[in-house]
Amino acid sequence: MNQTAKLPQVLGLLVLSGLAACTGKPATVHTDASAGQSERLRFVLAASGLPQAGRWKSTPVFTDVNADGLIDLAGYPRLGDGAQVWLGDGAGGWTDASQGLRRASDGSTCGGGLDFGDIDRDGHLDMAVGDHCTGTFTYLGDGRGHWRVTTTELNPEIFHTDQVASGASPFGGTEQLAVGDVNEDGFLDLVTAGSDRGGFSVYLGDGSGTTWTETRKDGLPSHDDPEVIDPEQGGWATKFLLRDIDDDGHLDVVASYYRGPRVWKGDGKGGWRPASTGLPTPSIGGIFWGITVGDTNEDGRLDLLVANEVNGPELFLQNANGSWQRTPDVAPTLLGGARAIALADLDADGHLDMVFAGRLKRIKNAPYGVFVLRGNGRGQWTQTDAPELPTDGLGTVWGIAVADVNRDGRPDLAINTQPMRGVNPDKGDHRPLPYVQVWLNTTGATAR
Amino acid sequence: MRLSRSIVCLPRRARGLRVATTVLSGLLCALLPWVGSAVRADDEAGLLEQRVKAFWDARVAADYAEEYRFLSPADRSKANEAKFVEQKEKRPYRWVNAKVSEVAISGDLAWAHVQYEYRMIDIPDTPPTRNAFWHVWQRLDQWHPIPKGTRAAFPSRPPHLRPAAAEAELAKRVGAFWRAQAAGDWETVYRYLEPGYRARVSLDAFIANRPPVAYSSAHIEWAEVLGARGRAKVAVGIRPQDPSLAKLGTKQLVKIDAWVKTDGQWYRRVKDKTDPQRAAENAARKWVSP
């Protein structure tokens, strides 16, 4: 998705948030009873046409691939054949539109990330896919759900030189990527994060979808320009976004980097500078996963929400000077950490709410569940009853996406997950829910 | 108990006799449990000795399926019988003979002194190698041998062979060290570290590089002195001092602390890969005996 396509999302969140004054008070958590808030959230599963099986090791992406005004969905599996796109019918039904995306017939995809944008500027959305094992792929779309591969196994230059030297390079593979015009030349570029070492790579596009020019020492951490000198040689990022975090008109990188949550501000010319003052560097690397931004305290500045695999959701408020301030624990009863996270105004009260996937207990192989905290725009969060959502019984949840699928004004959810450890649906084990789930938000539907 | 009760219930008139018998009954009452327990201990030691001998007989006979039956339920859960036998048969040596000469029991632990000979399979013409050690056993549902891999978690010799006063002195020092750890008193902690380490690493460097964890009060389960070397089993709570890991909470750890006596004082050994002497010791330790 390009910069102009992403800005409306952010602006929409800001408008919904009301841009109320910041209270400056730390986050507090209430229960539904104590807060006395409005009706409970209601959801209904709308997975007709979506795959029942698979390991969907990517954050799902909602977008309108065929420009019919209806939200479509995409995901990228582990041990699958390639990325998949499903066209939405606006009522929760889905039709596969993945012709040309199949790249492996032996189930050898490794999961990763995907993003959309009009790379060749033909008016149709194209797709970039990052594979954890093999690197980055691009596919040009025709607007009707057909795709033509134009880039395969794109990896940083160090991968090829290092491979020659050692025979097996840790610099190959793309854990996550984003599409955006980082140097503001009118062509969409690719920003990718390594899955093991090498940090970030930026590939400047020329509009062809076939030729990419790798930048060097641009300010993002990489093997030859790491944040710190350590054996990880730039390391990896589990998830990251391209967003204009400081409202200066330039795309910034907001990342769940292996050393902790991080922000690098873009200068619009392809250069980056760190802006992570106040963000933590835990003593264990790689504990942060899902990441999103939104103005949670309605002070006009985007805040950072990250899924910490130990602590659960962690919220960092953006200060006026661009530094970050960690809020107190917003989900104290969640003891097993979180993997995926999203922000949206689920109850249509004008304030951002938080939806995340985590584990209630810190025990081996504990199941994941999906949980909602209602926000009041003043830094207070309410644990919310949303009984239709699976609060238990899920395998690892790799990502949550939010969009208004059925155009009722309420944000709906997509969840990518996989079988729980020890569960093998192919051998007849119970499969409680499909592993790509869309939940339509029907809160208040009966009252209207 | 029946005997002592009958002695106490004598007629009133026999007062002199009553006094004497009361004293006698008191003595008997006091001694009976000891006599009983001594008998039971003898029985138990005998039974344990038989069990240890049967275990070693199985080893000498290379009857590893029989050896497997001596393992504790927890150890059996780590490998089934077939896998256990397969692993044992891959050993490059065989036991030639074994003799159990003494058994000592202390609580739920026991030590059996075993003298044995073994021979490398690939060089059968060489004379067998002789060795002896205290084989540690633990009482669970019954007595089970402690596998070699976890034997370091127990004192290597029975209490009657260990210097109680020296071990008390070591335990006191270990306790003081862990109290300083729990208090975050890093200067004191540093003073307890072996002199060789302190000569290489300054206090400031030690403090700067210490892991971001906090310790809760420690319990010293035992301390053992072997010449100038000491070991102590310490149970301690550890929690990360890192807001990003706050929900990891406190984890209970059981550590085997290594100590060394230098110039008449006990110091805690430090795992330091840069120490050349330690590297040489580690290389020497790679020699493995059965």
Side-chain angles (χ1 to χ4, degrees), chain B residues 216-249:
Chain B
S216 59
S217 59
H219 171 64
I220 315 301
E221 295 195 9
W222 51 259
E224 181 180 29
V225 170
L226 293 159
R229 295 295 174 95
R231 300 192 311 139
K233 187 174 184 180
V234 182
V236 63
I238 182 171
R239 65 179 188 282
Q241 283 183 311
D242 182 341
S244 297
L245 304 173
K247 286 187 182 173
L248 282 181

mmCIF file of all heavy atoms in Angstrom, chain B residues 216-249:
data_model
loop_
_atom_site.group_PDB
_atom_site.id
_atom_site.type_symbol
_atom_site.label_atom_id
_atom_site.label_comp_id
_atom_site.label_asym_id
_atom_site.label_seq_id
_atom_site.Cartn_x
_atom_site.Cartn_y
_atom_site.Cartn_z
ATOM 1 N N SER B 216 15.848 -13.479 45.265
ATOM 2 C CA SER B 216 15.199 -13.488 46.569
ATOM 3 C C SER B 216 16.055 -14.323 47.507
ATOM 4 O O SER B 216 17.052 -14.907 47.088
ATOM 5 C CB SER B 216 13.789 -14.061 46.452
ATOM 6 O OG SER B 216 13.834 -15.366 45.944
ATOM 7 N N SER B 217 15.650 -14.372 48.761
ATOM 8 C CA SER B 217 16.493 -15.036 49.747
ATOM 9 C C SER B 217 16.738 -16.488 49.358
ATOM 10 O O SER B 217 15.852 -17.172 48.857
ATOM 11 C CB SER B 217 15.835 -14.971 51.118
ATOM 12 O OG SER B 217 14.576 -15.580 51.065
ATOM 13 N N ALA B 218 17.947 -16.919 49.618
ATOM 14 C CA ALA B 218 18.365 -18.254 49.172
ATOM 15 C C ALA B 218 18.334 -19.239 50.330
ATOM 16 O O ALA B 218 18.487 -18.868 51.499
ATOM 17 C CB ALA B 218 19.774 -18.168 48.601
ATOM 18 N N HIS B 219 18.118 -20.487 49.989
ATOM 19 C CA HIS B 219 18.170 -21.564 50.979
ATOM 20 C C HIS B 219 19.334 -22.485 50.605
ATOM 21 O O HIS B 219 19.386 -22.999 49.490
ATOM 22 C CB HIS B 219 16.842 -22.334 50.973
ATOM 23 C CG HIS B 219 16.889 -23.580 51.794
ATOM 24 N ND1 HIS B 219 17.083 -23.556 53.142
ATOM 25 C CD2 HIS B 219 16.797 -24.894 51.438
ATOM 26 C CE1 HIS B 219 17.094 -24.801 53.597
ATOM 27 N NE2 HIS B 219 16.923 -25.628 52.577
ATOM 28 N N ILE B 220 20.246 -22.638 51.550
ATOM 29 C CA ILE B 220 21.411 -23.494 51.297
ATOM 30 C C ILE B 220 21.027 -24.917 51.709
ATOM 31 O O ILE B 220 20.855 -25.191 52.907
ATOM 32 C CB ILE B 220 22.655 -23.034 52.096
ATOM 33 C CG1 ILE B 220 22.827 -21.506 52.007
ATOM 34 C CG2 ILE B 220 23.899 -23.767 51.608
ATOM 35 C CD1 ILE B 220 22.979 -20.967 50.621
ATOM 36 N N GLU B 221 20.877 -25.816 50.763
ATOM 37 C CA GLU B 221 20.431 -27.169 51.097
ATOM 38 C C GLU B 221 21.563 -28.013 51.665
ATOM 39 O O GLU B 221 21.357 -28.804 52.578
ATOM 40 C CB GLU B 221 19.814 -27.842 49.872
ATOM 41 C CG GLU B 221 18.534 -27.150 49.426
ATOM 42 C CD GLU B 221 17.730 -27.996 48.458
ATOM 43 O OE1 GLU B 221 18.052 -29.179 48.257
ATOM 44 O OE2 GLU B 221 16.776 -27.450 47.886
ATOM 45 N N TRP B 222 22.739 -27.881 51.102
ATOM 46 C CA TRP B 222 23.905 -28.559 51.659
ATOM 47 C C TRP B 222 25.164 -27.912 51.120
ATOM 48 O O TRP B 222 25.128 -27.223 50.101
ATOM 49 C CB TRP B 222 23.902 -30.064 51.378
ATOM 50 C CG TRP B 222 23.699 -30.468 49.940
ATOM 51 C CD1 TRP B 222 22.537 -30.914 49.385
ATOM 52 C CD2 TRP B 222 24.664 -30.463 48.874
ATOM 53 N NE1 TRP B 222 22.701 -31.180 48.056
ATOM 54 C CE2 TRP B 222 24.007 -30.928 47.709
ATOM 55 C CE3 TRP B 222 26.009 -30.126 48.789
ATOM 56 C CZ2 TRP B 222 24.642 -31.045 46.477
ATOM 57 C CZ3 TRP B 222 26.656 -30.250 47.558
ATOM 58 C CH2 TRP B 222 25.974 -30.709 46.417
ATOM 59 N N ALA B 223 26.249 -28.148 51.811
ATOM 60 C CA ALA B 223 27.555 -27.722 51.320
ATOM 61 C C ALA B 223 28.495 -28.898 51.482
ATOM 62 O O ALA B 223 28.382 -29.669 52.441
ATOM 63 C CB ALA B 223 28.063 -26.511 52.101
ATOM 64 N N GLU B 224 29.397 -29.041 50.550
ATOM 65 C CA GLU B 224 30.321 -30.171 50.585
ATOM 66 C C GLU B 224 31.734 -29.653 50.342
ATOM 67 O O GLU B 224 31.952 -28.853 49.420
ATOM 68 C CB GLU B 224 29.950 -31.196 49.513
ATOM 69 C CG GLU B 224 30.864 -32.415 49.511
ATOM 70 C CD GLU B 224 30.488 -33.425 48.436
ATOM 71 O OE1 GLU B 224 29.939 -33.009 47.395
ATOM 72 O OE2 GLU B 224 30.753 -34.629 48.642
ATOM 73 N N VAL B 225 32.641 -30.117 51.147
ATOM 74 C CA VAL B 225 34.035 -29.702 51.011
ATOM 75 C C VAL B 225 34.864 -30.877 50.509
ATOM 76 O O VAL B 225 34.788 -31.980 51.062
ATOM 77 C CB VAL B 225 34.586 -29.193 52.360
ATOM 78 C CG1 VAL B 225 36.100 -29.004 52.285
ATOM 79 C CG2 VAL B 225 33.906 -27.893 52.753
ATOM 80 N N LEU B 226 35.600 -30.651 49.475
ATOM 81 C CA LEU B 226 36.522 -31.651 48.927
ATOM 82 C C LEU B 226 37.887 -30.990 48.796
ATOM 83 O O LEU B 226 38.201 -30.395 47.769
ATOM 84 C CB LEU B 226 36.033 -32.145 47.565
ATOM 85 C CG LEU B 226 34.735 -32.948 47.565
ATOM 86 C CD1 LEU B 226 34.101 -32.947 46.195
ATOM 87 C CD2 LEU B 226 35.009 -34.377 48.016
ATOM 88 N N GLY B 227 38.636 -31.021 49.881
ATOM 89 C CA GLY B 227 39.931 -30.343 49.884
ATOM 90 C C GLY B 227 39.733 -28.841 49.776
ATOM 91 O O GLY B 227 39.021 -28.237 50.581
ATOM 92 N N ALA B 228 40.361 -28.250 48.786
ATOM 93 C CA ALA B 228 40.242 -26.800 48.602
ATOM 94 C C ALA B 228 39.064 -26.443 47.711
ATOM 95 O O ALA B 228 38.872 -25.274 47.377
ATOM 96 C CB ALA B 228 41.530 -26.250 48.001
ATOM 97 N N ARG B 229 38.305 -27.436 47.309
ATOM 98 C CA ARG B 229 37.131 -27.173 46.479
ATOM 99 C C ARG B 229 35.864 -27.362 47.321
ATOM 100 O O ARG B 229 35.818 -28.231 48.199
ATOM 101 C CB ARG B 229 37.072 -28.122 45.276
ATOM 102 C CG ARG B 229 38.219 -27.942 44.283
ATOM 103 C CD ARG B 229 38.109 -26.572 43.654
ATOM 104 N NE ARG B 229 39.233 -26.251 42.786
ATOM 105 C CZ ARG B 229 39.222 -26.450 41.469
ATOM 106 N NH1 ARG B 229 38.171 -26.983 40.890
ATOM 107 N NH2 ARG B 229 40.258 -26.112 40.743
ATOM 108 N N GLY B 230 34.871 -26.569 47.020
ATOM 109 C CA GLY B 230 33.604 -26.690 47.713
ATOM 110 C C GLY B 230 32.446 -26.610 46.752
ATOM 111 O O GLY B 230 32.555 -26.048 45.644
ATOM 112 N N ARG B 231 31.353 -27.240 47.137
ATOM 113 C CA ARG B 231 30.118 -27.163 46.348
ATOM 114 C C ARG B 231 28.982 -26.911 47.316
ATOM 115 O O ARG B 231 29.011 -27.352 48.471
ATOM 116 C CB ARG B 231 29.847 -28.469 45.608
ATOM 117 C CG ARG B 231 30.930 -28.882 44.621
ATOM 118 C CD ARG B 231 30.436 -30.014 43.721
ATOM 119 N NE ARG B 231 29.838 -31.102 44.467
ATOM 120 C CZ ARG B 231 28.753 -31.748 44.096
ATOM 121 N NH1 ARG B 231 28.105 -31.413 42.995
ATOM 122 N NH2 ARG B 231 28.272 -32.750 44.817
ATOM 123 N N ALA B 232 27.988 -26.208 46.853
ATOM 124 C CA ALA B 232 26.809 -25.968 47.684
ATOM 125 C C ALA B 232 25.578 -25.991 46.808
ATOM 126 O O ALA B 232 25.597 -25.481 45.686
ATOM 127 C CB ALA B 232 26.920 -24.625 48.402
ATOM 128 N N LYS B 233 24.542 -26.621 47.321
ATOM 129 C CA LYS B 233 23.269 -26.624 46.599
ATOM 130 C C LYS B 233 22.416 -25.496 47.156
ATOM 131 O O LYS B 233 22.117 -25.463 48.354
ATOM 132 C CB LYS B 233 22.558 -27.969 46.758
ATOM 133 C CG LYS B 233 21.313 -28.102 45.908
ATOM 134 C CD LYS B 233 20.726 -29.506 46.001
ATOM 135 C CE LYS B 233 19.535 -29.660 45.083
ATOM 136 N NZ LYS B 233 18.964 -31.014 45.185
ATOM 137 N N VAL B 234 22.056 -24.595 46.268
ATOM 138 C CA VAL B 234 21.358 -23.374 46.678
ATOM 139 C C VAL B 234 20.028 -23.287 45.937
ATOM 140 O O VAL B 234 19.993 -23.398 44.711
ATOM 141 C CB VAL B 234 22.209 -22.123 46.350
ATOM 142 C CG1 VAL B 234 21.517 -20.866 46.820
ATOM 143 C CG2 VAL B 234 23.592 -22.246 46.965
ATOM 144 N N ALA B 235 18.952 -23.112 46.684
ATOM 145 C CA ALA B 235 17.649 -22.852 46.068
ATOM 146 C C ALA B 235 17.379 -21.362 46.195
ATOM 147 O O ALA B 235 17.402 -20.816 47.305
ATOM 148 C CB ALA B 235 16.552 -23.657 46.756
ATOM 149 N N VAL B 236 17.152 -20.705 45.073
ATOM 150 C CA VAL B 236 17.018 -19.246 45.104
ATOM 151 C C VAL B 236 15.955 -18.806 44.094
ATOM 152 O O VAL B 236 15.783 -19.441 43.039
ATOM 153 C CB VAL B 236 18.393 -18.581 44.796
ATOM 154 C CG1 VAL B 236 18.883 -18.923 43.413
ATOM 155 C CG2 VAL B 236 18.336 -17.079 44.988
ATOM 156 N N GLY B 237 15.246 -17.776 44.445
ATOM 157 C CA GLY B 237 14.281 -17.198 43.502
ATOM 158 C C GLY B 237 14.964 -16.142 42.663
ATOM 159 O O GLY B 237 15.773 -15.357 43.165
ATOM 160 N N ILE B 238 14.650 -16.124 41.371
ATOM 161 C CA ILE B 238 15.279 -15.155 40.483
ATOM 162 C C ILE B 238 14.191 -14.512 39.635
ATOM 163 O O ILE B 238 13.267 -15.194 39.172
ATOM 164 C CB ILE B 238 16.360 -15.838 39.602
ATOM 165 C CG1 ILE B 238 17.057 -14.827 38.703
ATOM 166 C CG2 ILE B 238 15.794 -16.985 38.800
ATOM 167 C CD1 ILE B 238 18.268 -15.420 37.991
ATOM 168 N N ARG B 239 14.271 -13.210 39.483
ATOM 169 C CA ARG B 239 13.278 -12.523 38.645
ATOM 170 C C ARG B 239 13.987 -11.444 37.820
ATOM 171 O O ARG B 239 14.943 -10.823 38.303
ATOM 172 C CB ARG B 239 12.153 -11.915 39.479
ATOM 173 C CG ARG B 239 12.584 -10.810 40.389
ATOM 174 C CD ARG B 239 11.402 -10.225 41.181
ATOM 175 N NE ARG B 239 11.817 -9.049 41.909
ATOM 176 C CZ ARG B 239 12.501 -9.074 43.052
ATOM 177 N NH1 ARG B 239 12.831 -10.221 43.587
ATOM 178 N NH2 ARG B 239 12.859 -7.951 43.639
ATOM 179 N N PRO B 240 13.532 -11.230 36.595
ATOM 180 C CA PRO B 240 14.195 -10.232 35.759
ATOM 181 C C PRO B 240 13.907 -8.824 36.269
ATOM 182 O O PRO B 240 12.798 -8.520 36.689
ATOM 183 C CB PRO B 240 13.580 -10.451 34.377
ATOM 184 C CG PRO B 240 12.296 -11.148 34.632
ATOM 185 C CD PRO B 240 12.452 -11.918 35.890
ATOM 186 N N GLN B 241 14.938 -7.986 36.234
ATOM 187 C CA GLN B 241 14.748 -6.563 36.550
ATOM 188 C C GLN B 241 14.611 -5.827 35.225
ATOM 189 O O GLN B 241 15.510 -5.083 34.818
ATOM 190 C CB GLN B 241 15.934 -6.037 37.354
ATOM 191 C CG GLN B 241 15.928 -6.432 38.810
ATOM 192 C CD GLN B 241 17.081 -5.820 39.555
ATOM 193 O OE1 GLN B 241 18.222 -5.881 39.128
ATOM 194 N NE2 GLN B 241 16.794 -5.193 40.686
ATOM 195 N N ASP B 242 13.531 -6.091 34.548
ATOM 196 C CA ASP B 242 13.352 -5.582 33.194
ATOM 197 C C ASP B 242 11.851 -5.390 32.994
ATOM 198 O O ASP B 242 11.096 -6.362 32.980
ATOM 199 C CB ASP B 242 13.914 -6.605 32.197
ATOM 200 C CG ASP B 242 13.827 -6.136 30.756
ATOM 201 O OD1 ASP B 242 13.043 -5.213 30.468
ATOM 202 O OD2 ASP B 242 14.543 -6.704 29.912
ATOM 203 N N PRO B 243 11.401 -4.145 32.848
ATOM 204 C CA PRO B 243 9.955 -3.917 32.705
ATOM 205 C C PRO B 243 9.337 -4.685 31.542
ATOM 206 O O PRO B 243 8.164 -5.055 31.601
ATOM 207 C CB PRO B 243 9.858 -2.404 32.466
ATOM 208 C CG PRO B 243 11.131 -1.835 32.944
ATOM 209 C CD PRO B 243 12.172 -2.893 32.798
ATOM 210 N N SER B 244 10.125 -4.950 30.499
ATOM 211 C CA SER B 244 9.574 -5.676 29.354
ATOM 212 C C SER B 244 9.371 -7.155 29.649
ATOM 213 O O SER B 244 8.749 -7.860 28.863
ATOM 214 C CB SER B 244 10.504 -5.534 28.144
ATOM 215 O OG SER B 244 10.594 -4.186 27.750
ATOM 216 N N LEU B 245 9.910 -7.609 30.766
ATOM 217 C CA LEU B 245 9.783 -9.024 31.127
ATOM 218 C C LEU B 245 9.094 -9.179 32.483
ATOM 219 O O LEU B 245 9.239 -10.207 33.143
ATOM 220 C CB LEU B 245 11.167 -9.682 31.174
ATOM 221 C CG LEU B 245 12.020 -9.572 29.903
ATOM 222 C CD1 LEU B 245 13.422 -10.110 30.157
ATOM 223 C CD2 LEU B 245 11.377 -10.337 28.763
ATOM 224 N N ALA B 246 8.341 -8.156 32.872
ATOM 225 C CA ALA B 246 7.791 -8.118 34.232
ATOM 226 C C ALA B 246 6.960 -9.350 34.550
ATOM 227 O O ALA B 246 6.971 -9.857 35.673
ATOM 228 C CB ALA B 246 6.953 -6.852 34.416
ATOM 229 N N LYS B 247 6.233 -9.856 33.570
ATOM 230 C CA LYS B 247 5.312 -10.959 33.865
ATOM 231 C C LYS B 247 5.985 -12.334 33.879
ATOM 232 O O LYS B 247 5.309 -13.335 34.054
ATOM 233 C CB LYS B 247 4.143 -10.942 32.875
ATOM 234 C CG LYS B 247 3.154 -9.816 33.173
ATOM 235 C CD LYS B 247 1.929 -9.894 32.310
ATOM 236 C CE LYS B 247 0.998 -8.737 32.603
ATOM 237 N NZ LYS B 247 -0.133 -8.683 31.664
ATOM 238 N N LEU B 248 7.283 -12.346 33.673
ATOM 239 C CA LEU B 248 7.959 -13.629 33.866
ATOM 240 C C LEU B 248 7.936 -14.022 35.342
ATOM 241 O O LEU B 248 8.035 -15.190 35.678
ATOM 242 C CB LEU B 248 9.410 -13.557 33.376
ATOM 243 C CG LEU B 248 9.617 -13.643 31.869
ATOM 244 C CD1 LEU B 248 11.105 -13.594 31.549
ATOM 245 C CD2 LEU B 248 9.022 -14.919 31.304
ATOM 246 N N GLY B 249 7.805 -13.020 36.215
ATOM 247 C CA GLY B 249 7.703 -13.301 37.641
ATOM 248 C C GLY B 249 8.978 -13.912 38.205
ATOM 249 O O GLY B 249 10.049 -13.855 37.596
#
